[in-house]
Structure formats: structure tokens, C-alpha cells
Amino acid sequence: MALKSNLFKQIKELLFGPARDPFAPETRQHIALMAFFAWVGLGADGLSSSAYGPEEAFKALGTHVHLSLYLAIATAFTVFLISTAYNQVIELFPTGGGGYKVATQLIGPHAGLISGAALIVDYVLTIAISVASGVDAVFSSLPTAWQSHKLTVELFLTLFLMFLNLRGMKESIKILTPIFMGFVITHVLIIVYGVAIRGNEIPSIVHQTLHETSSLAGQMGWVFVASLFLRAYSMGGGTYTGIEAVSNNVNVLQEPRVHTGKLTMFYMATSLAFTAGGIILIYLLWNAVPSSNGETLNAVAFRSVIASLGFSPGLSYVLLTTVLVLEGALLYVAANTGLLGGPAVLANMANDGWTPSQFSSLSSRLVTKYGILLMGIAALFILLWSGGVVDLLAVLYSINVFLTFSLSLTGLTLYWWKHREHPQWALRLGVSVVGLIVTSSILMVTLAEKFFEGGWMTLLITSAVIGLCLLIRQHYRETAAQMAKADHLLSQLPATPVVTPPALDPDAPTAVFLISQAKGTGMHTLLWVQRLFPNVYRNFVFLSVGAVDTQSYGGEGSIEGLKESVHSACDYYVNFCHRNGIAAKSYEAYGTDRIAELTRLSEQVHEEFPNSIFFASKLIFVHDNWLTRILHNQTALQMQRILHLQGMTMVILPMKVD
């Protein structure tokens, strides 16, 4: 048994790396992201949207391509507008949480639930659409016969990305950084060259655009022109996706977090505005026309730009393939944002009881592994269901993005209206209101245009997530009510220290209690044992594990606060026993794996007190369960089985407090 356990541990460390000590001073510094790496890890989602957002907008103009000049300007403006608004989110919520916390704290819990559910679906789609778009970009330069293998490649790449993130957040980003920088350099060069080589045409294009706009308005009316432009602008809404990622993950940034977050946002906004606006301008200057053979519009436009360099056909093909491979690879890097941001949202919602508490748990590598697994597996199902069709995924994707944007900006608008004493309230309110008008307009147009083309599916999936969250919240409320009842009835019993406590007898019968920081629950278990087994046990031993999760590590709480809470609870039980003439002792441990730490403490106690029986209430395990009623308290049963295999006996007490 021990040999098998050691072999499993060695294989696990080989695949995912050795466990990290959350208490080591250098650990936080090691995993915190500086602005550059945050730009790569969190900004790739936004930057990669230039691979499909501008194309969707440009194609929506139809034959009226002259309007794309306005579109390029509006795209760059919107990027900076939304990023400026989200800088406010970084300031107000420096511990992370982004759109979910903004809606929760500035509007209300149920608005937060809607925003959180939309973000969860959004990040799943981030993974799916980024991988699918990336594969599309790469396959644009490959033979047509290879197209049938795209879905298989997409599934494999998603699984590989999950594996990288389970190894650690910073590790996955470092591996993907060369791809990111390759994309930035090649696309900047193409845009700069493509605009410069035809820069002399810009004045005539501006004149022609103004003339054709006026002519179109004269024929069809200004309402038609405005509607056409707004539709194209909204269809390119995918361009702005990913801007919120930094505010959702401020807690993983290097100190000072707010400064690092704003610097990251500046990098992301500047690179996205330049790339997305520049690509639309390239379409216009180089007369790009959508291809019927599966090529992206970027591939068509870039081929024309590269061909003008005068290289041989073979070298031009190699250069184009390199650019498209890097574009596809960046989209793959962008998928990583979904595996960073999604688990962060799930963890924040878990802390509020909307999702199972496992989503706030950390693995030995200090990543939220359950969140990574859920987001990755959900993305695999979406890819299988959609067949990796980017147009369909883009519709599903952009609706939820702009729902979250609109809720966040509504929250900011309410906040600055209530805080008019701030010196810059008017400016910040203005930014929030304009941003709200822009994002809500895009949301409404996209929903109306695409409702019957897949938009209804987004609303259905998001509503299903909201319904599930409500059920989970109800479960935790019922549990909290039981805990509150136990605390009210039992935690007020006197438990002050005594001068001369009773001595422990290691050979005497010993009752070992698995406890949590909720004193009432532990007292319920203790009194239950005393009532059923009067005068049987001579020693009472208490085991408590402080679970290091997102709240206590890199989140809103602190390791010191966790230790104080666990130590205070242990002292309370020991002092209570001493006051009632019972010999008692406590053991504490801290770590990311509560069951493993409890098992280790149990083995230590059983060695010291061989005549021991373990007792635990289901209530102390309830927050370790996904859905307790369905799984019948699997965590408690797992602990019971582990102790049984080690030759120990554990009794599980019922949850109900009489």
C-alpha cells in the first residue's frame, strides 16, 4: 500500500511538479505576475480577438466597405473607453473579482450572480473559440484535405492546455510567452508596413469615404447609415472581449497590485487598439475580399501585403504561413485566459456560496484545480457540440461578454453617483455612463441580430448556470442555518483556562474529534459522545486543519488570520474539557489538502493514543462536498475509509442539530 502510494506521488510530481509550500515567504513572490507576464497571460485573450473581431465587423458592412474607416477609429476608441472604465474596477477591487464583485457589491447579490454566471460561460467559450479560431488560422495555409482533422486537433490542444495550467499558472505563461511576442512583432510589422506603403492613398480614401457616406445617406437616409454602422460595430464586439480579465485576476499580480494592474491594462489596451484598428485599415487599404475556400480575411489581406515585398512565391508562402501560425498560436495562448479567469470567478462565487466550495480550494501547486478541470471539460463539450464553428461560437461568446460589461458599468455608474464628493467623480461618472451606453447598445443589437442564430442558446446556458447556483446557495444556507443553531445553543458554554489541567493517560480510551472553526458544531459532537458514552473516554483529543484556499492565500484573508482562527477554536475545546475535569489536547495543521492533513494528524494521534476512536459531525465536512444531498457526504465517507485502512475507527454523526 505504501509502495503504491509513493509511486503515485512520484508520478504526480513528475507530471505536475513538486508541491509548493504556501507558508514559504518566496512562494507568493514566485507565483505573482509582473505586468509583462500578466499582459501575456491575461492580455492574450483581448489581443487575440483581433484575429476574428475585425473580420466579423468588416464582413457585416457588406458592399459598403468605406464605412470601415469609421469602424477602425471607433474600435480603437472603444478599447480605450472600456479599459479606462475597468481601471476603476482595479482601484475599487484590488483583491480581484472584477465584474462579479462589481455587480455584487455595487448593485446586489443577484446581479452579481448573473454577472458571475455570464463570466463562467464566457470563459468556457473563451477557451473554445480561441482554440477553434487558432486552428482555423493555421489550417488557412494548409491543404483543403486537412480540414477534416481540425476538431481532433482542437480537442488535443485543449487537453494539453489544461495540463499546463494544472502544473502552475506562471509556468503555463512562461511556456507561451515566445508565441505571444512572435504574434506582436509580426503583426506590428505587417500593419506598419501595410499602412506605410499605401499611406499616400489615405487622403483620397478619407475624401472618398465622406463622399460615399453622404451619397448613401442621400439615397437611403441617415438612419440606414447609422443602423448599418451600428450593426457592423456590434458584430465586431468580440474584439473587446478579454479586456475584463485583468480586473478579474488582480489578486495574482505583483505588488503593488493596483499599479501592476493598471500597467497591464495599458499594455493590453494599446496593443489591442493598434492591432484591431490597424487590421481594419489594412482590409480597406488592400481591398480585402472574403474568401470562399475557408481562408480568414486576415489571411487574404496579409497575403497581399507580403506579396508586395517582391519575394519569391515560396518565401512569401513561408512568411504568410509563419504569420498565420503565430496568429493561431496566440489564439491558443488566449485560451489560457479562460483557464486563469474562469477558475478565479468560480472561486469568488464559491466564497459567497454560489458554487461548490471546492472551487476555492488550492492544489499542491497552488492552483484552483477543480476550476481548471471544469472549465477545460466544459470547453471540450462545447467544441464537440459546435464542431468548432467559429461563427457560432462568436455569437455565443460576445453576448455574455457585453452582459458582464453592462452590469459592471451600471455598478460603476451607481457608485460614482453616490460618491459625488470624490474630486474626479464627474469625469469617472462620464466614462462609466458612456461606456454603459456603448456596451449595452452592442449587447442589444447583437442579441436582436443573432437571437435565432445561437443567441438563444447563450441565454439558455447562462440561465441554467444561474439556476444551478441558486440550488447550491440554498444548500449552503440550510447548512449555515444548522451551524448557526449549533453556535447559538452550544458555543456560549464557558471555556476559560484552568491553572492545573487533568493529566493525559495515553493508554486510556481516547475520543478524537475532527473539528472546524465553527465552535458550535464541535460542541454538538462532543456532547453527543458524552451523552452516548458516559465516563468511557478518559482523553479528549481535537484535530483541526486550516484549509489554505483562495481566501486565505492571495485572496481577501490572510494566513495569519487563518492560523488565529484555528488556534482559537482548538483552545476553546481544550479549555472546556479542562474545566469539566477531562484531560484534553489539540493538534493543528495547515495545507491545501484538508483530507491529507487530517489523515496525517490522525496517524500521529493514533500512534500516541492507541486506544482511540475518531468522531466527526457531517457538518464539518459539508463545505467539502459538491452537493451533499446527492453525494451522501462523500468527503466524510472518504475520510472514514482512509482511517479504516490504517486500522482506525471513525464514527460519523448526523448533521441535524436537535
Side-chain angles (χ1 to χ4, degrees):
M1 183 78 180
L3 182 61
K4 185 184 293 185
S5 176
N6 288 333
L7 180 61
F8 175 77
K9 184 178 179 181
Q10 289 174 0
I11 294 173
K12 183 180 177 182
E13 287 193 1
L14 179 65
L15 290 174
F16 301 106
R20 287 203 176 102
D21 179 7
F23 302 101
E26 65 274 9
T27 301
R28 166 69 194 174
Q29 183 179 0
H30 176 75
I31 66 174
L33 299 176
M34 59 185 291
F36 175 78
F37 285 122
W39 177 39
V40 176
L42 303 173
D45 182 20
L47 188 56
S48 70
S49 62
S50 61
Y52 52 84
E55 177 175 356
E56 292 297 318
F58 190 82
K59 289 193 297 187
L61 291 173
T63 58
H64 307 291
V65 294
H66 61 277
L67 293 177
S68 61
L69 183 62
Y70 308 128
L71 202 59
I73 297 170
T75 297
F77 170 77
T78 305
V79 169
F80 281 109
L81 177 66
I82 296 175
S83 63
T84 300
Y86 270 87
N87 273 337
Q88 300 176 31
V89 176
I90 293 172
E91 287 182 3
L92 295 174
F93 300 93
T95 55
Y100 167 69
K101 281 197 176 178
V102 171
T104 298
Q105 297 187 24
L106 302 185
I107 304 177
H110 287 90
L113 170 61
I114 295 171
S115 180
L119 278 170
I120 290 170
V121 177
D122 171 36
Y123 277 124
V124 170
L125 291 169
T126 294
I127 302 167
I129 194 173
S130 297
V131 171
S133 298
V135 171
D136 273 2
V138 173
F139 274 69
S140 289
S141 62
L142 298 177
T144 306
W146 292 27
Q147 299 291 320
S148 60
H149 300 293
K150 286 199 297 186
L151 183 59
T152 303
V153 174
E154 289 165 8
L155 297 176
F156 171 77
L157 290 175
T158 303
L159 287 170
F160 180 66
L161 203 58
M162 289 169 62
F163 166 74
L164 285 181
N165 279 272
L166 289 171
R167 283 187 60 86
M169 175 178 59
K170 202 165 188 178
E171 281 72 10
S172 66
I173 292 173
K174 284 183 176 179
I175 290 173
L176 300 172
T177 296
I179 296 172
F180 182 89
M181 293 311 300
F183 172 92
V184 171
I185 293 169
T186 55
H187 281 65
V188 166
L189 289 175
I190 283 181
I191 291 169
V192 169
Y193 173 78
V195 173
I197 200 70
R198 295 201 172 178
N200 60 324
E201 299 179 15
I202 292 179
S204 62
I205 286 177
V206 171
H207 176 74
Q208 184 182 359
T209 297
L210 294 173
H211 174 73
E212 291 188 12
T213 303
S214 178
S215 175
L216 182 63
Q219 296 173 20
M220 309 297 296
W222 284 105
V223 173
F224 173 81
V225 174
S227 299
L228 177 63
F229 176 78
L230 183 58
R231 180 178 181 275
Y233 178 59
S234 300
M235 291 302 97
T239 305
Y240 317 113
T241 56
I243 294 177
E244 78 290 346
V246 179
S247 65
N248 288 334
N249 295 273
V250 182
N251 58 300
V252 303
L253 301 182
Q254 198 174 71
E255 298 288 355
R257 292 178 182 176
V258 172
H259 172 74
T260 304
K262 287 185 174 183
L263 186 57
T264 304
M265 189 69 83
F266 173 76
Y267 291 160
M268 181 167 63
T270 303
S271 57
L272 176 57
F274 176 84
T275 307
I279 285 175
I280 293 175
L281 195 55
I282 290 291
Y283 293 160
L284 181 62
L285 289 171
W286 291 83
N287 302 313
V289 178
S291 171
S292 59
N293 62 358
E295 280 189 320
T296 63
L297 198 58
N298 281 12
V300 173
F302 294 167
R303 176 181 286 106
S304 299
V305 174
I306 292 172
S308 71
L309 292 169
F311 295 135
S312 65
L315 181 56
S316 295
Y317 176 79
V318 170
L319 289 175
L320 177 63
T321 301
T322 301
V323 172
L324 294 178
V325 167
L326 285 169
E327 190 172 276
L330 179 75
L331 285 157
Y332 185 56
V333 177
N336 197 54
T337 304
L339 292 167
L340 295 176
V345 174
L346 285 167
N348 280 299
M349 295 181 73
N351 294 332
D352 292 337
W354 292 116
T355 60
S357 60
Q358 279 102 327
F359 289 122
S360 68
S361 300
L362 296 173
S363 71
S364 61
R365 296 289 291 173
L366 301 181
V367 297
T368 49
K369 65 177 180 181
Y370 292 114
I372 292 170
L373 290 171
L374 177 67
M375 302 304 290
I377 292 170
L380 290 172
F381 276 108
I382 290 289
L383 286 170
L384 286 169
W385 169 74
S386 67
V389 178
V390 174
D391 289 345
L392 173 59
L393 291 171
V395 174
L396 299 176
Y397 185 35
S398 56
I399 289 175
N400 267 6
V401 170
F402 283 94
L403 175 58
T404 302
F405 281 166
S406 299
L407 285 170
S408 297
L409 289 163
T410 299
L412 288 173
T413 299
L414 294 173
Y415 178 85
W416 291 119
W417 180 252
K418 292 176 182 176
H419 292 78
R420 294 192 294 278
E421 71 282 357
H422 192 282
Q424 296 181 325
W425 76 270
L427 175 62
R428 297 190 175 199
L429 177 63
V431 170
S432 301
V433 170
V434 173
L436 175 60
I437 292 171
V438 169
T439 57
S440 58
S441 298
I442 294 175
L443 172 63
M444 288 186 289
V445 171
T446 305
L447 192 57
E449 281 282 333
K450 299 294 185 178
F451 184 80
F452 294 106
E453 298 178 30
W456 65 270
M457 179 64 73
T458 301
L459 298 181
L460 181 63
I461 295 172
T462 305
S463 299
V465 173
I466 291 171
L468 181 58
C469 289
L470 287 169
L471 289 175
I472 294 170
R473 180 72 172 269
Q474 182 60 33
H475 158 66
Y476 282 127
R477 280 181 173 171
E478 291 175 2
T479 303
Q482 285 291 306
M483 289 183 167
K485 185 176 181 181
D487 284 341
H488 177 71
L489 294 173
L490 303 170
S491 66
Q492 304 305 315
L493 297 174
T496 53
V498 300
V499 177
T500 309
L504 292 161
D505 181 0
D507 296 322
T510 301
V512 183
F513 299 91
L514 278 57
I515 61 171
S516 66
Q517 289 93 291
K519 298 183 180 70
T521 307
M523 290 303 297
H524 166 63
T525 308
L526 188 154
L527 296 175
W528 190 90
V529 170
Q530 281 189 311
R531 185 172 72 242
L532 291 184
F533 307 104
N535 301 318
V536 172
Y537 298 104
R538 301 301 178 188
N539 309 306
F540 279 14
V541 176
F542 301 92
L543 309 184
S544 185
V545 170
V548 180
D549 58 16
T550 56
Q551 279 189 298
S552 57
Y553 189 79
E556 294 181 348
S558 67
I559 294 291
E560 291 71 23
L562 175 67
K563 288 182 176 180
E564 176 60 31
S565 177
V566 171
H567 189 67
S568 173
C570 288
D571 282 350
Y572 177 84
Y573 295 119
V574 171
N575 291 335
F576 175 83
C577 291
H578 288 169
R579 283 184 61 85
N580 288 275
I582 304 170
K585 185 178 182 180
S586 67
Y587 293 81
E588 303 170 17
Y590 304 88
T592 56
D593 189 336
R594 190 177 180 212
I595 294 297
E597 293 298 330
L598 279 174
T599 302
R600 184 179 61 79
L601 287 181
S602 300
E603 292 171 351
Q604 181 181 345
V605 169
H606 190 62
E607 186 175 340
E608 187 174 343
F609 299 93
N611 297 317
S612 56
I613 300 291
F614 292 78
F615 296 92
S617 167
K618 286 185 180 181
L619 276 173
I620 76 159
F621 290 107
V622 74
H623 285 286
D624 290 328
N625 293 307
W626 290 70
L627 288 171
T628 301
R629 289 178 177 172
I630 296 175
L631 298 181
H632 304 296
N633 221 58
Q634 284 296 315
T635 309
L637 294 174
Q638 178 189 1
M639 187 69 202
Q640 190 179 46
R641 285 194 295 270
I642 290 172
L643 295 186
H644 176 72
L645 290 172
Q646 302 295 328
M648 295 173 267
T649 302
M650 176 178 168
V651 178
I652 303 174
L653 277 64
M655 284 176 55
K656 187 138 181 94
V657 177
D658 299 323

